[in-house]
Amino acid sequence: MSSSRHIPFFLWRHLNKLRWIVLSIVFAMLVLLPFLHVYQTYRAAHAYDLLSPSERQLYDVMEALSAPFTDDPTEDLDAVKGNTWSGTFWGLKLSDPLAALGQAAAGHTLYWPFLLTAFIPIAVTAVFGRIFCGWLCPATFLYELNTNFAAWLSWAGLKIGDRHFDKRLKYAVLGLGLVLSAVSGSVMVAAVYPPAIIGREIYYAIALGGFGAGTVFFVGTLLFDLLVARRGFCRYLCPGGALYSLIGRYRVVRIRRIVENCNDCAKCNAVCEFDLDPLRDGFGQECNNCTACIAVCPTDAMTFTLRPTDHPAQGPGHLGRRYRDEQEAEHEPLANGNGVA
Amino acid sequence: MERRNFLKALAASAAAALVPEAARSARNQPSLRYLRPPGALPEEAFLSRCINCGQCGEACPNRCIKYFGFENGLNSIDTPYIIPREKGCILCMKCGDVCPTGAIQPVERTAEAILDGVKMGRARVDESLCLSFQGKTCGVCYRACPLPDVAIYVGRLEQPHVTDECVGCGLCERSCIQMPQAIRVIPSYG
């Protein structure tokens, strides 16, 4: 049986590295775009001779970075604007589904030109699940670094938060945010949604000369993750994560455990940022296909599958001791009856 | 007792922030004079459309668009505004192009379209402060205006007169050499 083991495609276990690269690129773009914008304004004002030395340095660096791609920075660099909350890419406008829903709630009407900008993200989520959370969200980049930081702290002997709450809390937060948006007539969810906060706070810090109130909120969520619950905001409170979970409930691309390869080591459960239960085939709607469990699995027991629901529970892994004990308990009487032993 | 009063005040301010009626009256207090970007919808519709994405500011080549913190009420957090005395709007109309929700409507960059579609406010001259009205020929506001002889014209001794065509971009207020400024944009949030 072990000779015909199904081994998942070898690249799957490297996807986690690709994910980190993507997260880093998204975050780097959020830092680069405000700098490019400032550079554009210097260009537009023909202000080079009036700049201070540090501003001139910014100008020179941005000119060097953009010169290979454009002859006319003041116009061409307008091609990419915005952040993950809502952005413009060469005329294509994309928005977070939560932005569309929050705006519809605040305006009490459906404004289709804007709602359509969320169509592509919604379609991608319907297929790949909560993939934004794991692969694109600029807050995830910081939150996962925060998790690593917490791990260092606990190695150093400091106590870090490890509480568990009900994951359904975030659906209540989503509902409450939409109700508040509808009552107040402004898009309140934007104020408590980390990726939206990070996108604009980076812009404020670079182009407008200082962080705003959102940074205080975000640092609060980092401390919550560190001191109360690991990755707590994403797991229990994030309204956008709640919406993505709902949209991706019947996602087609899922992670599945290959029970024949599994040895019940539970590393997948330990590494899962979202407190899911890959060891017992419990992924559910909140799995964001981050592939950390695939990367960590020592026996190649995690792979992708295409089906709209999770694989039913498969019991203990066939390489594990529990499965062996169960098998022996089953075969013992047989063996005795045959008199082989 | 004191603490009770404090809690009462706290509850009242929280209620004012949450209940739209109270927030609206608080918003119309004249203590804070700001402009919305050109082409913005009337204030209430604007707030319900704006998703705080910050693209208008990122598109603004003049960097005149800034973002509210708590100073204009909870509804206005992270919404764009312009303080004309600090930096006026140069009517490049890029913010309306980039706005995904139509909170800032796209307006073509021609004099007719701008006169038609932009109403950030209307400039008003304080004749007791204006140098030209004191006999010291100035005319700086007239020369700063992107719509000279349409939105503003000068009479004897360069004395400025603002017409109803003024779109309220604030370049005159920005350029006024008098301190405090003799010409101000009175915002129209409608």
Side-chain angles (χ1 to χ4, degrees):
Chain A
M1 191 164 70
S2 58
S3 60
S4 66
R5 267 173 60 184
H6 172 65
I7 300 292
F9 182 51
F10 76 102
L11 279 182
W12 291 164
R13 62 186 307 113
H14 299 292
L15 278 177
N16 200 34
K17 293 166 203 154
L18 178 67
R19 184 175 71 91
W20 271 98
I21 293 171
V22 173
L23 284 173
S24 312
I25 289 174
V26 170
F27 197 84
M29 285 302 289
L30 288 182
V31 176
L32 180 65
L33 288 177
F35 278 122
L36 285 174
H37 162 61
V38 172
Y39 165 62
Q40 275 182 293
T41 65
Y42 292 160
R43 290 285 297 218
H46 304 284
Y48 190 74
D49 294 336
L50 303 173
L51 298 179
S52 70
S54 63
E55 290 169 335
R56 200 170 282 191
Q57 200 171 19
L58 187 156
Y59 186 108
D60 291 339
V61 171
M62 290 303 131
E63 186 175 39
L65 282 178
S66 61
F69 306 103
T70 167
D71 301 323
D72 182 11
T74 46
E75 290 301 323
D76 291 352
L77 291 181
D78 282 342
V80 181
K81 289 283 176 193
N83 46 53
T84 60
W85 178 238
S86 185
T88 305
F89 307 89
W90 288 275
L92 176 66
K93 291 183 178 181
L94 294 175
S95 298
D96 196 300
L98 185 63
L101 197 60
Q103 197 278 319
H108 307 283
T109 47
L110 300 178
Y111 180 67
W112 285 104
F114 176 53
L115 295 184
L116 285 176
T117 62
F119 176 76
I120 293 176
I122 288 175
V124 170
T125 305
V127 175
F128 292 99
R130 199 177 162 177
I131 198 168
F132 172 84
C133 301
W135 286 72
L136 297 171
C137 176
T140 291
F141 181 71
L142 297 178
Y143 284 142
E144 294 211 7
L145 291 177
N146 193 41
T147 302
N148 296 355
F149 179 58
W152 290 344
L153 288 186
S154 73
W155 282 333
L158 291 170
K159 204 170 155 349
I160 54 162
D162 194 23
R163 284 169 189 268
H164 295 264
F165 304 98
D166 194 325
K167 291 200 197 89
R168 288 172 296 184
L169 256 178
K170 59 176 166 296
Y171 302 102
V173 174
L174 173 65
L176 188 68
L178 293 179
V179 168
L180 275 180
S181 300
V183 171
S184 68
S186 71
V187 186
M188 286 288 175
V189 281
V192 293
Y193 184 45
I197 291 172
I198 288 189
R200 59 172 178 263
E201 291 292 328
I202 292 177
Y203 174 74
Y204 293 171
I206 292 171
L208 300 183
F211 288 109
T215 300
V216 179
F217 178 84
F218 183 72
V219 170
T221 64
L222 281 178
L223 288 176
F224 177 75
D225 285 10
L226 199 60
L227 303 175
V228 182
R230 174 182 164 196
R231 203 69 193 281
F233 194 87
C234 305
R235 284 181 186 177
Y236 309 117
L237 295 172
C238 181
L243 182 60
Y244 278 118
S245 297
L246 291 175
I247 298 172
R249 175 161 189 165
Y250 297 106
R251 68 184 181 282
V252 184
V253 178
R254 284 169 188 267
I255 296 179
R256 179 176 77 87
R257 185 174 66 123
I258 306 171
V259 70
E260 290 85 3
N261 297 359
C262 176
N263 66 354
D264 291 341
C265 71
K267 281 185 177 161
C268 44
N269 279 21
V271 82
C272 183
E273 286 280 291
F274 281 2
D275 197 22
L276 306 176
D277 196 6
L279 179 63
R280 295 176 194 84
D281 305 295
F283 294 96
Q285 64 196 26
E286 312 206 335
C287 172
N288 61 6
N289 285 348
C290 79
T291 72
C293 54
I294 299 182
V296 80
C297 182
T299 56
D300 286 325
M302 289 288 171
T303 188
F304 282 109
T305 183
L306 296 176
R307 50 180 290 165
T309 52
D310 277 338
H311 204 283
Q314 305 175 88
H318 291 188
L319 301 182
R321 210 177 70 195
R322 228 180 101 204
Y323 180 78
R324 202 171 59 225
D325 291 350
E326 276 175 18
Q327 291 296 95
E328 276 171 14
E330 251 176 55
H331 290 299
E332 200 92 330
L334 248 176
N336 284 347
N338 290 346
V340 176
Chain B
M1 197 61 198
E2 217 168 12
R3 180 190 287 182
R4 186 187 296 169
N5 285 341
F6 169 74
L7 289 177
K8 243 185 221 166
L10 198 68
S13 56
L18 290 176
V19 178
E21 288 303 322
R24 209 169 296 138
S25 63
R27 202 162 54 226
N28 291 339
Q29 283 173 357
S31 57
L32 191 59
R33 187 170 56 87
Y34 63 92
L35 309 175
R36 291 296 185 190
L41 294 175
E43 187 70 1
E44 207 169 305
F46 178 83
L47 287 176
S48 76
R49 283 280 182 85
C50 178
I51 56 163
N52 323 129
C53 68
Q55 288 188 76
C56 47
E58 239 176 281
C60 178
N62 196 32
R63 274 163 93 191
C64 62
I65 295 181
K66 304 198 294 182
Y67 293 88
F68 277 122
F70 290 104
E71 60 267 38
N72 197 37
L74 275 184
N75 281 357
S76 280
I77 290 181
D78 297 315
T79 55
Y81 71 101
I82 296 169
I83 299 292
R85 184 56 164 165
E86 292 175 5
K87 224 169 211 186
C89 166
I90 57 173
L91 298 175
C92 72
M93 297 297 139
K94 280 186 175 175
C95 48
D97 283 341
V98 83
C99 179
T101 64
I104 307 171
Q105 291 286 324
V107 177
E108 212 183 312
R109 200 187 180 206
T110 61
E112 299 79 47
I114 287 173
L115 285 170
D116 213 35
V118 178
K119 194 65 194 170
M120 305 159 78
R122 185 184 190 278
R124 192 171 70 191
V125 180
D126 186 336
E127 297 184 4
S128 64
L129 285 170
C130 178
L131 290 175
S132 291
F133 284 94
Q134 316 304 321
K136 298 164 185 150
T137 312
C138 171
V140 165
C141 50
Y142 171 74
R143 287 180 175 79
C145 181
L147 300 162
D149 294 322
V150 179
I152 190 170
Y153 65 92
V154 282
R156 205 158 45 87
L157 292 176
E158 305 271 350
Q159 289 172 354
H161 299 279
V162 181
T163 74
D164 283 339
E165 299 288 320
C166 173
V167 298
C169 71
L171 289 176
C172 53
E173 180 173 348
R174 174 72 183 86
S175 67
C176 181
I177 61 170
Q178 183 64 298
M179 191 75 75
Q181 66 272 38
I183 187 164
R184 289 165 198 253
V185 178
I186 309 303
S188 68
Y189 302 124

